[in-house]
Amino acid sequence: MVPKNKSITIIGAGIGGLTCAISLQNLGYQIKVFERADELTEIGAGLTIPPNARKAIQYLGFEKQVIEASYKPAKAAIKDYYSGDTLKEIDINPSGNNKVQENDNYSPIYGTLQIHRADFQSILLKEVLKNDPNSILLNHEFTNFSINNGSLVCHFKNNKSYNTDALIACDGNKSLVRESINGNDKLNYLGYVAWRGLISSSDIPSDLIQPDTATFIGKNKIFARYKIRSGKIINYVGFSKKNDWEDESWTIRSSIKELLSEFSDSTDEIVSLIKKTQTNQCFKWALAGREPIKKWSVNNITLLGDAAHPMLPFLGQGAAMAIEDSVILSRLFLNEDNIKDAFKKYEQNRINRTTMVMHGAELNGLKLSGSDYTNFIKDKNIYTEEEVAEYNPVEAAL
């Protein structure tokens, strides 16, 4: 086991950073999480928690809180974007079952939950602070790290510096630590523009949202909607193939008029949802990707979550991969004698899986939008949605 007297620094208090903190706090390590924001507010809206992430959450000890804050969709459907006709329907949580089923008679995504990102982050934050009220330092913008006389030092704006025994970078898609390890990897705009919005369920006829989770697919268009916060809010995200927008920010507002114009050829259900969108809850961003990297760790420094494997949303596995990372890393802290070896084994255990999930998400986006994906799959190893969800990070061989 890695000695517990080691100081561990986490950069970023998003889902990956907070989950990683909990996983190591549970083992008795003292963690410091540095966050550049002066307060923790989660942007975004809905978040999918598939079975592989639920198994990790159960292991980490806060599944009950997540279940209580989540919506449990009974069924999920694939629908035609233009006609609204149901193409496929599967059971997810019939009768509101709270369990992840391990039974061949059920879909591999049986037990999937849907939650508001802010609610999920609030649960994580409470867990971290319950373990150590002084573990999170806000208003600390990371700039770089250095090694002085064998000591690892993290540097922040305002000339703040802290010595640490280990650095875990959870600083997202534009990670400065990843750039230090791998160089400035190219950001590829993938030709999709995405819009997200929130709607009050009371504004929509109840018979319109059937079943309560659905993905609509058409040529160059994908539109997904599902319920959060006990079904009181409908979260949606729409994707359209376009090449005239290259801003990754999730906080760029869009107008309802623009959204209606973009999805004017869709089924009446989609149009009705867009028209009822709360005017201050409509945002747009460009989907961008990066090629998988082959190196996550250097000595006592490693990457976690989007910093290691920024992922497209078409498998609903982005947050789940960060949660899996945290569980695998904590298990290796138990198995290895020092941080360097734990980080090396962590990279070896995670890099192939996350690369295959990244490719699977990209392929699924191509398939759902009716694009030609023949050339894409020629030289790539890819996980399907079912294979991703069946994985158990608690029991996976290390």
Side-chain angles (χ1 to χ4, degrees):
M1 183 176 187
V2 173
K4 292 185 180 180
N5 62 349
K6 300 297 183 181
S7 61
I8 301 171
T9 292
I10 294 174
I11 304 299
I15 288 174
L18 294 176
T19 307
C20 181
I22 294 167
S23 72
L24 295 176
Q25 285 176 331
N26 287 351
L27 301 180
Y29 294 97
Q30 294 296 310
I31 310 297
K32 291 297 181 185
V33 182
F34 293 87
E35 168 59 42
R36 67 179 180 179
D38 55 12
E39 62 177 331
L40 287 179
T41 55
E42 177 58 67
I43 61 174
L47 178 70
T48 298
I49 302 178
N52 49 306
R54 284 196 59 181
K55 293 166 187 172
I57 289 168
Q58 184 178 43
Y59 172 81
L60 294 173
F62 53 90
E63 185 189 35
K64 179 181 177 182
Q65 298 93 306
V66 171
I67 289 174
E68 290 174 350
S70 297
Y71 184 75
K72 308 169 190 67
K75 295 177 180 291
I78 301 293
K79 292 188 174 187
D80 185 277
Y81 170 83
Y82 303 101
S83 68
D85 293 342
T86 297
L87 306 176
K88 182 180 180 181
E89 190 173 275
I90 59 172
D91 289 329
I92 301 183
N93 292 287
S95 304
N97 196 322
N98 286 338
K99 297 181 179 180
V100 178
Q101 293 289 334
E102 296 182 358
N103 187 314
D104 291 339
N105 295 325
Y106 294 98
S107 160
I109 62 170
Y110 190 104
T112 295
L113 302 175
Q114 290 154 351
I115 191 171
H116 198 294
R117 279 180 174 268
D119 298 340
F120 189 65
Q121 177 158 326
S122 177
I123 291 168
L124 298 177
L125 183 60
K126 288 178 182 177
E127 288 292 307
V128 172
L129 295 178
K130 180 178 70 175
N131 293 330
D132 180 359
N134 301 311
S135 56
I136 298 178
L137 289 83
L138 301 176
N139 200 25
H140 277 70
E141 183 172 349
F142 177 81
T143 56
N144 64 319
F145 65 85
S146 62
I147 299 177
N148 298 327
N149 297 321
S151 296
L152 177 58
V153 184
C154 294
H155 303 285
F156 300 84
K157 280 194 173 181
N158 303 324
N159 297 317
K160 297 177 181 177
S161 297
Y162 299 87
N163 285 16
T164 186
D165 292 311
L167 169 60
I168 304 172
C170 306
D171 51 344
N173 191 10
K174 299 177 181 179
S175 170
L176 295 177
V177 180
R178 182 183 64 226
E179 185 175 330
S180 296
I181 294 174
N182 288 274
N184 189 6
D185 52 337
K186 182 181 178 183
L187 182 66
N188 299 315
Y189 288 99
L190 301 173
Y192 289 98
V193 175
W195 287 263
R196 61 180 172 87
L198 295 175
I199 308 159
S200 173
S201 297
S202 61
D203 290 339
I204 302 294
S206 58
D207 59 349
L208 181 67
I209 308 300
Q210 297 296 332
D212 45 16
T213 292
T215 300
F216 299 79
I217 60 174
K219 183 64 176 177
N220 296 328
K221 299 285 180 70
I222 306 170
F223 191 97
R225 56 113 178 108
Y226 56 87
K227 297 177 180 178
I228 54 178
R229 289 191 169 161
S230 303
K232 295 177 182 178
I233 296 176
I234 299 167
N235 172 82
Y236 71 75
V237 57
F239 306 94
S240 180
K241 277 279 192 178
K242 292 173 71 69
N243 293 304
D244 60 353
W245 183 261
E246 293 191 352
D247 195 317
E248 281 188 283
S249 173
W250 280 43
T251 58
I252 303 299
R253 293 194 184 277
S254 177
S255 68
I256 307 302
K257 181 179 178 181
E258 178 186 18
L259 197 52
L260 283 170
S261 175
E262 191 63 39
F263 293 94
S264 61
D265 57 347
S266 65
T267 177
D268 290 344
E269 179 180 340
I270 293 175
V271 173
S272 297
L273 290 171
I274 293 172
K275 286 181 177 178
K276 293 294 185 179
T277 304
Q278 299 170 22
T279 55
N280 64 339
Q281 292 290 346
C282 186
F283 301 87
K284 67 184 290 190
W285 73 100
L287 293 189
R290 299 180 189 273
E291 288 300 311
I293 56 175
K294 297 181 179 180
K295 193 173 189 62
W296 292 13
S297 304
V298 175
N299 296 321
N300 285 16
I301 301 165
T302 197
L303 308 172
L304 186 144
D306 283 351
H309 42 73
M311 197 160 299
L312 291 172
F314 298 121
L315 284 179
Q317 287 282 348
M321 288 299 104
I323 296 168
E324 283 187 11
D325 288 348
S326 300
V327 168
I328 296 298
L329 184 59
S330 69
R331 290 178 61 198
L332 286 164
F333 264 62
L334 285 173
N335 285 7
E336 302 301 321
D337 294 330
N338 59 73
I339 293 169
K340 181 180 178 180
D341 287 346
F343 283 175
K344 182 178 180 180
K345 291 287 184 66
Y346 159 72
E347 175 187 299
Q348 292 171 348
N349 273 271
R350 295 299 295 162
I351 201 163
N352 285 341
R353 173 165 170 79
T354 55
T355 295
M356 290 173 72
V357 177
M358 289 173 73
H359 287 157
E362 189 170 355
L363 175 62
N364 209 41
L366 293 171
K367 291 167 66 176
L368 292 174
S369 63
S371 303
D372 181 10
Y373 52 86
T374 306
N375 292 329
F376 178 84
I377 62 175
K378 282 184 177 178
D379 58 352
K380 289 184 172 66
N381 294 317
I382 294 170
Y383 273 129
T384 65
E385 184 176 13
E386 291 76 19
E387 289 171 326
V388 177
E390 288 171 347
Y391 179 83
N392 186 345
V394 180
E395 298 179 356
L398 300 176

